Structures are given as C-alpha cells and as structure tokens.
Amino acid sequence: MKKVYIIALLTISSLALSQEKNVSVEKSVFNIQTGFVGFWANNELKLAKSIVLRSEIGIEPIWLVGDGTVWHPNFRLEPRYYYNLEKRVEKGYPINNNSGNFFGIALNYRPDAVVFSNNKDLKTIESISFVPKWGIRRNFGNHFNYEAGFGFGFRHEFKYKNYGEFDIHLRIGYTF
C-alpha cells in the first residue's frame, strides 16, 4: 500500500512540475485593434517564457485646435514582460493569447507623413519616443481581447524640442 501512495505522490508532483514548465506566452499572436482614436495591427513574438517583442503599425490622429485633424502612421516596437502568468494559471484564469499583466518599454517612430487630413496644408512632425509602461491584456471569447495601459516617458521631435510623453491606451481587438 505504501508503494501505491509513493507512486501516486510522485505522479502528482511530476504533473504539477510539468504544468509549471508549460506556463508561457504564445509563440506568436497577431491582432488588429481599435481604440477611442486610431487603428492598429500588431504581432507579439515570443522571445522567452514570459517575454514577447510586440511590433505594431497604426494610424493615429493629431488634433490642431482651429486648424483641423491630421491622421499619421505610428510604428512601434515594444518588448513586454508578462509577469503574472503562473499566478493566473494557479487561480484557474486563462492565459491564452497572452492574457495577463505586463511591463513594457514602447519605442515609437512617427514619420513626417500624412495619411489623411481635412486641411491639406497641415503636416506632421517626425518624432521618436521611449515610454516605459504598465498594462493588462485580457481575452473574452476565443478571439476577442481588450487591453489597457499607461506610462510616461520621453519624446524627441527632430525639428523642435524634447518633451515628456504620456502613453495611455484602451483598446479592443481581434486575435487571429
């Protein structure tokens, strides 16, 4: 009888250890998202057990009081560290499609290009920004997700000055 208990204990502990090893971000996740302002397509590529590299292209507006609106492209690279995946699995919450809390460092490039404007004389300002941020990503259904995050960082406009930049986002999307 002792042998049966020992075998059962070893089996249960080996299953528990094997489940811990399987807690990881997805190999590759492709999304389209929209928020209050803008549209984005992105991919999260697994680099390590809890780290992804998010590459993203989007169209975002700039509102100029009295002059109109300019829609411009934004290119982003953002390494993300999903820090609570094991805790979510322990509590029985899903982690599919990288559902979890994350820390990221967003590197944005906004070229001097206009996609659409209601004033043909308006131009955009070429800039780069570096923004550490915190956020959450959750899924509902098999393919839908929402994401919220915020951060504060540094923005450099090539023709002008350097600024502080807030990055606050709330998006809903679809995962392929």
Side-chain angles (χ1 to χ4, degrees):
M1 193 63 161
K2 285 183 182 180
K3 289 181 183 179
V4 172
Y5 287 127
I6 291 172
I7 291 172
L9 181 63
L10 289 174
T11 303
I12 291 170
S13 60
S14 68
L15 285 173
L17 287 175
S18 69
Q19 284 182 344
E20 275 186 27
K21 291 178 185 175
N22 291 333
V23 175
S24 176
V25 293
E26 302 275 341
K27 187 174 182 180
S28 180
V29 177
F30 180 75
N31 300 286
I32 55 172
Q33 294 179 319
T34 186
F36 290 115
V37 289
F39 306 95
W40 301 270
N42 59 63
N43 179 265
E44 291 188 358
L45 182 65
K46 178 180 178 178
L47 299 178
K49 182 178 167 184
S50 297
I51 299 173
V52 300
L53 179 62
R54 181 181 178 110
S55 54
E56 178 175 83
I57 183 169
I59 304 295
E60 302 173 344
I62 297 174
W63 292 285
L64 302 168
V65 178
D67 287 330
T69 304
V70 175
W71 289 83
H72 66 96
N74 182 25
F75 301 95
R76 175 180 296 185
L77 282 178
E78 181 179 349
R80 285 185 174 180
Y81 169 63
Y82 286 91
Y83 63 88
N84 71 332
L85 297 177
E86 289 182 10
K87 187 182 284 189
R88 287 184 58 79
V89 168
E90 288 172 8
K91 291 183 176 182
Y93 298 139
I95 61 168
N96 61 315
N97 296 329
N98 299 345
S99 181
N101 299 3
F102 62 87
F103 291 112
I105 300 173
L107 177 62
N108 296 292
Y109 171 66
R110 297 170 191 94
D112 186 10
V114 175
V115 174
F116 172 78
S117 175
N118 58 359
N119 183 341
K120 65 180 179 178
D121 296 327
L122 293 178
K123 301 207 186 274
T124 61
I125 299 168
E126 186 176 17
S127 67
I128 59 171
S129 64
F130 176 82
V131 182
K133 59 196 290 187
W134 174 87
I136 64 169
R137 178 182 169 87
R138 298 291 187 268
N139 297 303
F140 56 96
N142 288 332
H143 296 283
F144 292 96
N145 62 69
Y146 65 92
E147 194 171 292
F150 67 92
F152 181 75
F154 167 81
R155 178 178 180 148
H156 172 71
E157 293 182 348
F158 292 106
K159 294 181 181 177
Y160 297 102
K161 297 182 178 182
N162 299 326
Y163 301 95
E165 177 173 286
F166 283 103
D167 184 339
I168 300 171
H169 73 272
L170 179 59
R171 299 178 182 177
I172 188 166
Y174 185 83
T175 303
F176 293 93

